[in-house]
């Protein structure tokens, strides 16, 4: 009888590292997205580097960064495998939503600055805007689900964890809850300034005018830092902030 093959610990270790690296890549993309869009439009000489929303960079010199980052993020989410089938399903849906945000742009209305892709405007249909906002809303909502549910579960067996490790786990979970609530609050504020306190009623308010990109950026900050926190085992242990949670 052929002996049963023994599991390769090295391969298991590599798979764990890749699993956490995937989290890190997703977090980095979210963390850098707004900065890269502003930097690209600035370097390429756009007359208005700050758009009213991240989605409006679709029509700017940052078009490739916007579409490319969302498609890469979508691919990473589709590749990501969580600890159970529900996390896998939410991850797969997140990937589809990210690609949907990139594939179906928002309206050109309200755009300021140099137009890189205004040629698309004549082919635009109103239903695309509906799909875009639905995908964006569901994407941010899925981010909050990761923070409020999946990330608070430990990757390893913690039944024999030390008191110090348990305290760090509590610190991490507290931060995940803050991130989840922060994402939901950001979504609520985007809706508030889009439908209740609008630019039409407050034409001179910078906060109202740029409220969407401001709170999209805060949502991305909470999302990205939570994913980076979840991949903290492969980050430098010399970072004091990470040592407090690791």
């Amino acid at each position: 009888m052929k002996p049963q093959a023994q599991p390769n610990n090295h391969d298991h270790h590599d798979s764990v590292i890749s699993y956490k690296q995937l989290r890190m890549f997703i977090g980095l993309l979210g963390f850098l997205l707004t900065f890269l869009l502003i930097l690209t439009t600035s370097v390429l000489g756009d007359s208005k580097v700050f758009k009213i929303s991240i989605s409006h960079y679709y029509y700017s010199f940052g078009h490739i960064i916007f579409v490319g980052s969302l498609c890469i993020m979508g691919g990473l989410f589709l590749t990501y495998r969580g600890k159970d089938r529900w996390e896998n399903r939410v991850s797969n849906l997140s990937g589809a939503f990210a690609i949907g945000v990139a594939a179906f742009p928002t309206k050109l209305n309200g755009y300021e600055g140099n137009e890189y892709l205004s040629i698309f405007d004549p082919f635009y249909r109103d239903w695309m805007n509906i799909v875009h906002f639905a995908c964006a809303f569901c994407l941010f909502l899925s981010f909050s689900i990761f923070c409020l549910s999946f990330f608070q579960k430990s990757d390893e067996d913690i039944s024999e964890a030390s008191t110090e490790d348990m305290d760090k786990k509590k610190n991490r979970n507290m931060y995940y809850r803050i991130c989840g609530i922060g994402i939901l609050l950001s979504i609520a504020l985007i809706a508030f300034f889009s439908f209740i306190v609008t630019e039409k009623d407050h034409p001179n308010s910078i906060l109202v005018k740029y409220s969407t990109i401001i709170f999209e950026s805060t949502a991305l900050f909470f999302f990205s830092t939570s994913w980076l926190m979840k991949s903290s085992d492969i980050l430098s242990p010399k970072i004091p902030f990470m040592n407090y949670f690791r």
Side-chain angles (χ1 to χ4, degrees):
M1 184 175 180
K2 186 176 180 180
Q4 185 177 0
Q6 296 296 319
N8 190 319
N9 291 332
H10 178 72
D11 290 341
H12 173 70
H13 178 71
D14 287 345
S15 68
V16 172
I17 295 299
S18 297
Y19 181 75
K20 292 181 178 179
Q21 283 179 332
L22 197 57
R23 290 172 177 164
M24 184 184 67
F25 293 146
I26 291 173
L28 283 174
L29 271 177
F31 188 82
L32 295 174
L33 180 57
T34 304
F35 172 76
L36 289 175
L37 290 171
I38 294 173
L39 178 64
T40 301
T41 51
S42 177
V43 169
L44 294 179
D46 196 315
S47 60
K48 293 283 186 179
V49 297
F50 292 100
K51 311 302 180 188
I52 60 175
S53 74
I54 291 177
S55 298
H56 278 80
Y57 283 93
Y58 178 93
Y59 298 101
S60 75
F61 295 143
H63 171 82
I64 301 299
I65 300 295
F66 174 77
V67 174
S69 296
L70 283 170
C71 288
I72 292 172
M73 185 181 295
L76 292 175
F77 271 122
L78 291 171
T79 305
Y80 180 83
R81 291 294 175 267
K83 294 177 287 296
D84 56 51
R85 63 178 181 175
W86 291 110
E87 187 172 358
N88 292 338
R89 288 173 179 175
V90 173
S91 178
N92 290 337
L93 287 172
S94 299
F97 294 144
I99 294 172
V101 171
F104 301 98
T106 189
K107 287 183 178 180
L108 185 61
N109 294 358
Y111 181 89
E112 295 179 338
N114 299 80
E115 296 177 6
Y116 170 76
L117 208 66
S118 58
I119 190 174
F120 178 77
D121 196 45
F123 304 98
Y124 191 85
R125 298 294 181 269
D126 287 339
W127 62 265
M128 295 181 182
N129 195 51
I130 296 173
V131 175
H132 176 86
F133 277 105
C135 287
F137 172 79
C138 292
L139 181 61
F140 282 124
L141 189 61
S142 68
F143 291 165
S144 68
I145 293 174
F146 275 101
C147 295
L148 295 174
S149 178
F150 303 133
F151 280 1
Q152 296 188 45
K153 301 174 183 177
S154 180
D155 289 337
E156 297 86 17
D157 181 12
I158 59 172
S159 58
E160 299 181 1
S162 65
T163 302
E164 182 182 1
D165 289 336
M166 292 300 296
D167 288 340
K168 290 182 178 181
K169 176 61 178 171
K170 290 179 182 178
N171 293 335
R172 289 196 300 271
N173 286 352
M174 181 182 295
Y175 186 72
Y176 295 142
R177 287 193 290 272
I178 291 172
C179 288
I181 294 170
I183 292 170
L184 293 176
L185 183 60
S186 297
I187 296 173
L189 288 171
I190 291 172
F192 177 77
F193 285 106
S194 297
F195 301 109
I196 299 176
V197 180
T198 64
E199 187 180 1
K200 183 179 179 180
D201 300 323
H202 301 272
N204 298 320
S205 173
I206 298 297
L207 174 61
V208 174
K209 181 177 181 178
Y210 294 103
S211 60
T212 300
I213 189 172
I214 290 171
F215 295 114
E216 283 176 336
S217 298
T218 58
L220 284 175
F221 172 81
F222 288 122
F223 150 70
S224 60
T225 54
S226 66
W227 280 77
L228 289 172
M229 179 71 68
K230 197 63 177 176
S231 66
S232 62
D233 285 351
I234 64 171
L235 298 177
S236 173
K238 296 181 180 180
I239 301 176
F241 176 75
M242 286 301 176
N243 282 334
Y244 180 68
F245 293 92
R246 290 184 72 249

